Amino acid sequence: MSAIGLKFAPLRSRHVLPGFSLSMGFMLFYMTSLMLIPLLALVIRPAELGLDGFWSAISTPRVLASLRLSFGMALAAAAIDSVFGFIIAWVLVRYRFPGKALLDAVIDLPFALPTAVAGIALSTLYAPNGWIGSLLIDHGIKIAYTPWGVLVAMTFIGLPFTVRTVQPVLSELGLEIEEAAATLGATRIQTIARVVLPMLLPAILTGAAMAFARGAGEYGSIIFIAGNIPAVSEIAPLLIVTKLEQYDYAGASAIGVVMLAASFVMLLALNGLQSWAAKRR
Amino acid sequence: MSAQFRKPTEDPVWLKALLGTLAIGFIAVLLLLPLVLVFKEALAHGLGAFWAAMTEPDSLAAVRLSLTAAAIAVPLNTVFGIAAAWSIAKFDFRGKTFLVTLIDLPFSVSPVVSGLIYVLVFGAQGWFGPKLADHNIHILFALPGIVLATIFVTFPFVARELIPLMVDQGRDEEEAAATLGATGFQTFLRVTLPNIKWGLLYGVLLCNARALGEFGAVSVVSGHIRGVTNTMPLHVELLYNNYDYVGAFAVAALLAMLGLVTLALKSLLEWRYADELAAMHRH
């Protein structure tokens, strides 16, 4: 009786607790002044170029090549990170072995290591005389100072995203469905590929989208290893910096707007993915 | 007897070996090797050279500047995070989802773009730049610009930790306190804060690590004046580009140590106080 009565009780008033106007006011002031106004400055800056000017600013071969490199390599890095993110999450959740806790903690290293530190370390490591670079150069493979260096750095920076989105979903997954699959005669590989992987798909895609967004905008860890050859291994964020150094504010903003638009699209895609994942659960 | 039969939900030994090797190998090569290299290179010419590079005046100035910027940016973002979480978790209003999405925006914006927006506002050709220059106020290529860029990139850390945590905890306890006559400040201090303290610490920890390590955004606004506007990560770049590898890796090693301490504290919080952190960090 009382349970039903509760259901029909009037909705509680919106302001039972104090501090709404203070906290909300501070939050909105802080976000507007530090984030929204500066972002607005970026969005309307290219307007002085006009639509044609904007188009010609971003359609030069050098700019297009840098955008292609940033987004293309970010996609490739996200794909590599998704595969290894799944494998690492699987090993961390399902297997028991000594040192597992340490391995788990190490995953977050790219978050904890400042990008400039990662940048000079990767560059030294993959340079032709570096620990890894010297092994590869014998086989004619060059990583540092080529577009492949960009891929290595983006893969490094994106790995925690893919592991950390798959890991919690995997550990919540019950074993019953896998038992059912095994009972029905599926081999272990079939069970993983056809039963487990589809259930993890939203998480894997979310992690990939995060790794992609991070990689496309990444700067610090890349500029040391990339060699920064215009139209070959020059990423879009670096081109923004270069244009700023030449006081080409409008040109820099035009590239910035393209990158910002991509961030918005990724943010929307991530929200979509998350509500899809929530629905499937 | 059961040892001879594999459970149907357990991987065969060959698969375990394969995936285990792949996982550990990938982590070792991609993540651990760079870390080892930083410390090896920093000590390449012995502890003496390492120490000399660390205590060189420009390095010390960089350390001081980084600490100053973080000391301003982190408390401000902490207050913002608490205010955001309080209004979003404890009250109902329209557009909440949009607001939460917006708070996360700095995480998906390129660090270079994060710096660029302040150049467009405060730069020589920016909105307020010329006016401020008339009054001899310098934002860019000075501490205020560095602080602004640091604030922007570390914006979401405390908020995104506290919002899910405080939404989970609901508002019953606070409402009970208010009913019993506690003022808003008392309620926050005695009821809310004890509930969120580990989550708050977690967010501050990550915020601080990023504030000290930020490179791209700060690089755009700092002007790279050696010993004046070079933060630690920028100093690493400068030394590296001047072929001073011992110096670059010495400062890098200090930053890496900082990262490792952060990582250790973060893992400690996740193990020890898992139930008091936002659900996404519970293992």
Side-chain angles (χ1 to χ4, degrees), chain B residues 123-170:
Chain B
Q125 304 168 39
W127 280 358
F128 310 130
K131 281 224 179 61
L132 288 170
D134 291 345
H135 293 87
N136 216 12
I137 300 171
H138 299 286
I139 307 276
L140 283 192
F141 313 140
L143 181 65
I146 293 169
V147 170
L148 282 171
T150 307
I151 286 178
F152 186 91
V153 291
T154 57
F155 222 99
F157 280 102
V158 178
R160 69 152 24 192
E161 185 60 33
L162 287 186
I163 291 169
L165 181 65
M166 281 168 73
V167 168
D168 260 8
Q169 288 173 347

Side-chain angles (χ1 to χ4, degrees), chain A residues 90-107 167, chain B residues 271:
Chain A
W90 183 263
V91 168
L92 285 176
V93 172
R94 292 297 176 85
Y95 300 170
R96 294 160 60 106
F97 53 94
K100 184 166 132 172
L102 193 65
L103 200 69
D104 194 338
V106 165
I107 303 292
Q167 200 179 10
Chain B
W271 291 326

Side-chain angles (χ1 to χ4, degrees), chain B residues 95-117:
Chain B
K96 201 188 266 191
T97 327
F98 175 71
L99 206 58
V100 174
T101 307
L102 204 62
I103 291 175
D104 265 352
L105 184 66
F107 274 167
S108 49
V109 170
S110 169
V112 168
V113 173
S114 311
L116 169 69
I117 58 177

Side-chain angles (χ1 to χ4, degrees), chain B:
Chain B
M1 166 160 146
S2 65
Q4 288 163 5
F5 294 102
R6 185 167 51 82
K7 274 194 283 179
T9 53
E10 215 176 283
D11 292 345
V13 175
W14 67 266
L15 189 62
K16 277 189 181 174
L18 176 70
L19 295 183
T21 312
L22 277 175
I24 294 172
F26 195 70
I27 292 171
V29 172
L30 191 72
L31 304 187
L32 284 180
L33 220 47
L35 185 71
V36 174
L37 178 114
V38 168
F39 290 106
K40 203 223 152 219
E41 291 288 320
L43 296 170
H45 296 281
L47 259 175
F50 171 77
W51 188 249
M54 281 301 317
T55 51
E56 177 238 349
D58 288 344
S59 297
L60 289 178
V63 172
R64 217 164 18 237
L65 179 63
S66 282
L67 289 177
T68 311
I72 302 170
V74 175
L76 278 174
N77 278 340
T78 304
V79 174
F80 164 75
I82 293 171
W86 180 264
S87 41
I88 284 167
K90 307 293 177 191
F91 301 95
D92 295 314
F93 56 89
R94 271 157 187 263
K96 201 188 266 191
T97 327
F98 175 71
L99 206 58
V100 174
T101 307
L102 204 62
I103 291 175
D104 265 352
L105 184 66
F107 274 167
S108 49
V109 170
S110 169
V112 168
V113 173
S114 311
L116 169 69
I117 58 177
Y118 294 106
V119 175
L120 297 177
V121 174
F122 298 112
Q125 304 168 39
W127 280 358
F128 310 130
K131 281 224 179 61
L132 288 170
D134 291 345
H135 293 87
N136 216 12
I137 300 171
H138 299 286
I139 307 276
L140 283 192
F141 313 140
L143 181 65
I146 293 169
V147 170
L148 282 171
T150 307
I151 286 178
F152 186 91
V153 291
T154 57
F155 222 99
F157 280 102
V158 178
R160 69 152 24 192
E161 185 60 33
L162 287 186
I163 291 169
L165 181 65
M166 281 168 73
V167 168
D168 260 8
Q169 288 173 347
R171 37 189 106 155
D172 296 347
E173 290 183 30
E174 280 82 4
E175 280 170 2
T179 317
L180 293 170
T183 65
F185 192 61
Q186 283 174 324
T187 308
F188 175 76
L189 220 58
R190 305 234 188 123
V191 178
T192 311
L193 198 58
N195 279 338
I196 61 166
K197 60 174 184 269
W198 297 116
L200 184 64
L201 186 64
Y202 190 93
V204 169
L205 192 69
L206 297 188
C207 184
N208 183 59
R210 180 70 194 267
L212 290 172
E214 177 51 29
F215 178 74
V218 171
S219 156
V220 173
V221 296
S222 108
H224 301 275
I225 307 162
R226 186 174 183 150
V228 181
T229 64
N230 257 359
T231 60
M232 277 194 274
L234 296 179
H235 197 54
V236 169
E237 181 196 24
L238 186 134
L239 294 173
Y240 186 83
N241 287 342
N242 288 343
Y243 305 103
D244 180 358
Y245 294 130
V246 170
F249 279 102
V251 181
L254 182 66
L255 282 166
M257 282 300 294
L258 224 65
L260 287 179
V261 170
T262 305
L263 215 55
L265 289 174
K266 175 177 164 296
S267 302
L268 186 73
L269 282 175
E270 281 168 3
W271 291 326
R272 180 75 183 73
Y273 301 104
D275 297 339
E276 294 169 65
L277 299 178
M280 54 189 169
H281 306 302
R282 288 172 203 157
H283 285 293

Side-chain angles (χ1 to χ4, degrees), chain A:
Chain A
M1 203 45 209
S2 66
I4 297 166
L6 266 178
K7 250 186 202 166
F8 290 97
L11 286 171
R12 54 184 144 195
S13 122
R14 281 170 57 178
H15 299 273
V16 177
L17 293 171
F20 180 68
S21 37
L22 179 69
S23 58
M24 189 74 179
F26 177 74
M27 171 171 66
L28 290 180
F29 168 75
Y30 196 77
M31 284 180 76
T32 309
S33 57
L34 290 172
M35 185 165 140
L36 296 181
I37 291 178
L39 279 174
L40 194 68
L42 170 65
V43 175
I44 62 180
R45 187 76 192 209
E48 70 188 47
L49 292 169
L51 205 60
D52 291 341
F54 177 76
W55 184 246
S56 60
I58 60 164
S59 61
T60 67
R62 187 175 173 186
V63 174
L64 283 181
S66 76
L67 288 170
R68 210 177 302 129
L69 180 69
S70 277
F71 288 103
M73 280 302 179
L75 200 63
I80 296 172
D81 281 334
S82 299
V83 173
F84 280 94
F86 168 71
I87 293 174
I88 292 167
W90 183 263
V91 168
L92 285 176
V93 172
R94 292 297 176 85
Y95 300 170
R96 294 160 60 106
F97 53 94
K100 184 166 132 172
L102 193 65
L103 200 69
D104 194 338
V106 165
I107 303 292
D108 284 326
L109 208 57
F111 285 157
L113 215 57
T115 53
V117 177
I120 63 168
L122 289 174
S123 172
T124 309
L125 211 51
Y126 289 89
N129 57 356
W131 292 350
I132 297 178
S134 59
L135 296 177
L136 294 175
I137 202 88
D138 294 340
H139 303 282
I141 304 169
K142 268 191 80 181
I143 301 270
Y145 320 126
T146 73
W148 301 116
V150 178
L151 182 66
V152 168
M154 285 180 178
T155 309
F156 172 87
I157 217 79
L159 187 67
F161 292 100
T162 57
V163 178
R164 293 299 185 222
T165 45
V166 174
Q167 200 179 10
V169 182
L170 189 58
S171 58
E172 270 177 30
L173 225 56
L175 293 175
E176 295 85 355
I177 308 167
E178 287 169 51
E179 280 166 5
T183 314
L184 293 170
T187 65
R188 189 67 190 138
I189 297 291
Q190 281 176 325
T191 308
I192 295 175
R194 304 253 192 102
V195 178
V196 179
L197 268 181
M199 287 194 290
L200 291 177
L201 193 62
I204 293 175
L205 285 177
T206 304
M210 290 168 122
F212 172 76
R214 177 67 202 263
E218 179 56 21
Y219 176 71
S221 60
I222 297 177
I223 53 164
F224 297 98
I225 194 176
N228 309 324
I229 306 153
V232 176
S233 61
E234 181 182 55
I235 51 168
L238 178 67
L239 196 51
I240 295 179
V241 174
T242 309
K243 288 198 182 279
L244 270 182
E245 280 166 0
Q246 296 160 351
Y247 297 101
D248 180 6
Y249 279 27
S253 322
I255 308 173
V257 165
V258 173
M259 308 246 15
L260 186 67
S263 307
F264 267 118
V265 171
M266 289 315 293
L267 214 54
L268 289 177
L270 277 168
N271 270 6
L273 273 171
Q274 256 141 26
S275 55
W276 179 44
K279 249 183 242 158
R280 284 190 36 160
R281 222 171 268 171

